[in-house]
Amino acid sequence: MSDVITQAVDALNAKMGGDGFDGTAKFDIEGEGAIVIDANGARAADDDADVTLSASADTFKAILDGEQNPTSAFMTGKLAVDGDMGLAMKLAGVLS
């Protein structure tokens, strides 16, 4: 597992404050791997999910650091969403 994935899992779990996520979402980080978020929190995995968000490592890091708004990233093509758009919007609230 890459350092990027390890750091992202830690950051996502910290943002969620120990709470899980209602549904399953996957972050596919180009060249690094994937993270799944569900009722148990975030973990490195490549399982099927209700929604998959794909971005470069730089974009994903900027979203986690609060330097990039997830909705803006989607609108400008930096973040691709495949699946349940409503769940993706809910996830954006968790990330910001």
Side-chain angles (χ1 to χ4, degrees), residues 1 5-6 8-13 16 20-21 23-29 33-49 60:
M1 177 173 17
I5 296 293
T6 302
V9 167
D10 291 343
L12 285 166
N13 281 320
M16 291 189 295
F21 183 67
T24 56
K26 178 168 59 173
F27 288 103
D28 185 10
I29 304 171
I35 299 167
V36 171
I37 299 175
D38 59 19
N40 298 315
R43 68 185 185 286
D46 197 10
D47 305 341
D48 287 336
F60 187 69

Side-chain angles (χ1 to χ4, degrees), residues 48-93:
D48 287 336
D50 299 324
V51 63
T52 300
L53 296 92
S54 303
S56 69
D58 289 341
T59 297
F60 187 69
K61 183 176 182 336
I63 289 170
L64 283 180
D65 291 345
E67 297 168 2
Q68 172 72 60
N69 178 290
T71 304
S72 296
F74 173 71
M75 298 300 240
T76 58
K78 293 180 180 179
L79 177 68
V81 177
D82 182 29
D84 187 333
M85 187 59 79
L87 204 54
M89 296 301 289
K90 196 169 166 186
L91 188 57

